[in-house]
Amino acid sequence: MRVALFATCLVDTMVPQVARATATLLQRLGHEVVVPPSQACCGQMHVNTGYRREAVPIVANHVRAFAGAEAVVAPSGSCVASIHHQQAMVARRAGEHALADDAEALAARTYELSQFLVDVLGVTDVGAYYPHRVTYHPTCHSLRMLRVGDRPLQLLRAVRGLDLVELPGAESCCGFGGTFAVKNADTSTAMLTDKMAAVLSTHAEVCTAGDASCLMHIGGGLSRLRSGTRTVHLAEILASTEENVSPTQTTAPAVPA
C-alpha cells in the first residue's frame, strides 16, 4: 500500500524521530511511504482556541496536500481526531461546502498509527524488540474521540522483550490539553503531578503514548524530578528491532531543574 505520512507540526518541530520511526515501521511492513511536502498544521490549535474562520485556509491546505492519498497515517491521536471531528465542521460553518465534502472524504482515509496497523493492516505483531519495562498512557483524544481502545496495548503486548505494566488511573488526563496548560497552568500542573505519581508507581523505565504532545508534558515533568523514567512514543517502540534495540532520545527534551 502507498501510505502518506502526516508528520504533524509538533512532531516535525520537536521530535522528528517519531515521524522517522513511523516511516521506518511502515516500510518494514512492506508499504511505500510518501511525505507530501506541502503538509502543515491540521488546524487543531486554531479551532481549539476559537479561531475557526482562520482555520479554513489551513484545512484547505491539508486537503490539497493529501488529495488522492490511498491512506494517510499520523503518529498522533490528537491531530487525527481533529481531522475527523473538526475539519469538515469548520469548512461547512464557513460556507465552504465543497471543501467540507473533501475533508470528510479525506478523514475517512486518515488513521492514527495503531488504528492503521490493527484495523487496516490486521497486524498486531510488527516484529519489534524492546527489552524494557513500559507503561502506557492512553491520551484523551485517542481514548475519547477516536476510541482506539486497546489497539496500542495489543501492539505493545506483542513486542518481544517488553514488560508491559498497567498504569493506575490510566484514563485520567495528564493535564496538557494544548493551550490549556498555558492558560490554566496551576490546574495543569496538579493534573501532571497525579499522572507522574501514577507513572512512577509502576517502576517503569519508559512511559509511552500515541501523542508526542502529552509525552512532552509528562516527560518534562519527569525530567525535572530526575526520576530516571523517560517518555518514548509508541512509534519508536514499534520501530525498534534487535539490530537497533531502542531509541536513546526521549520524546521530551531534557528540561533543566
Side-chain angles (χ1 to χ4, degrees):
M1 184 181 295
R2 195 166 190 261
V3 181
L5 174 62
F6 176 38
T8 81
C9 52
L10 187 142
V11 166
D12 183 54
T13 303
M14 301 296 294
V15 283
Q17 70 271 16
V18 172
R20 288 195 295 268
T22 304
T24 296
L25 171 62
L26 293 173
Q27 289 169 339
R28 192 174 76 217
L29 293 174
H31 302 281
E32 179 187 0
V33 177
V34 296
V35 184
S38 58
Q39 65 177 281
C41 182
C42 65
Q44 179 185 181
M45 294 185 295
H46 305 74
V47 178
N48 289 354
T49 314
Y51 293 94
R52 289 180 176 176
R53 182 162 294 278
E54 288 81 357
V56 173
I58 299 172
V59 172
N61 178 76
H62 182 85
V63 170
R64 283 194 303 272
F66 291 95
E70 183 179 0
V72 180
V73 175
S76 170
S78 178
C79 294
V80 172
S82 177
I83 291 164
H84 276 250
H85 297 282
Q86 293 180 337
Q87 286 196 345
M89 175 271 291
V90 163
R92 210 170 296 284
R93 287 188 177 185
E96 300 284 350
H97 298 291
L99 175 60
D101 291 343
D102 289 343
E104 285 181 345
L106 180 60
R109 307 192 305 276
T110 301
Y111 305 91
E112 180 268 341
L113 178 60
S114 72
Q115 287 180 317
F116 184 72
L117 294 171
V118 176
D119 295 347
V120 179
L121 301 184
V123 174
T124 53
D125 186 346
V126 298
Y129 175 72
Y130 196 79
H132 298 284
R133 186 176 175 90
V134 176
T135 194
Y136 169 72
H137 166 61
T139 64
C140 290
H141 282 95
S142 63
L143 180 69
R144 296 175 174 86
M145 296 186 75
L146 288 184
R147 300 188 184 281
V148 301
D150 70 343
R151 293 170 182 82
L153 293 172
Q154 291 181 51
L155 292 160
L156 289 169
R157 290 185 189 115
V159 175
R160 288 183 302 111
L162 189 148
D163 178 16
L164 182 63
V165 290
E166 184 177 352
L167 179 65
E171 295 187 0
S172 296
C173 178
C174 72
F176 180 64
T179 56
F180 173 85
V182 177
K183 294 178 179 178
N184 303 277
D186 290 344
T187 303
S188 173
T189 300
M191 296 170 74
L192 173 61
T193 299
D194 290 344
K195 181 59 66 174
M196 289 192 298
V199 170
L200 294 175
S201 75
T202 67
H203 303 290
E205 300 168 72
V206 169
C207 175
T208 192
D211 275 279
S213 52
C214 299
L215 289 174
M216 184 172 65
H217 188 56
I218 296 169
L222 291 173
S223 70
R224 288 190 290 274
L225 292 178
R226 303 188 187 279
S227 66
T229 302
R230 58 198 175 104
T231 53
V232 177
H233 194 282
L234 176 67
E236 296 178 274
I237 292 177
L238 298 180
S240 296
T241 62
E242 290 189 70
E243 290 72 30
N244 179 25
V245 175
S246 67
T248 56
Q249 171 69 44
T250 59
T251 297
V255 179

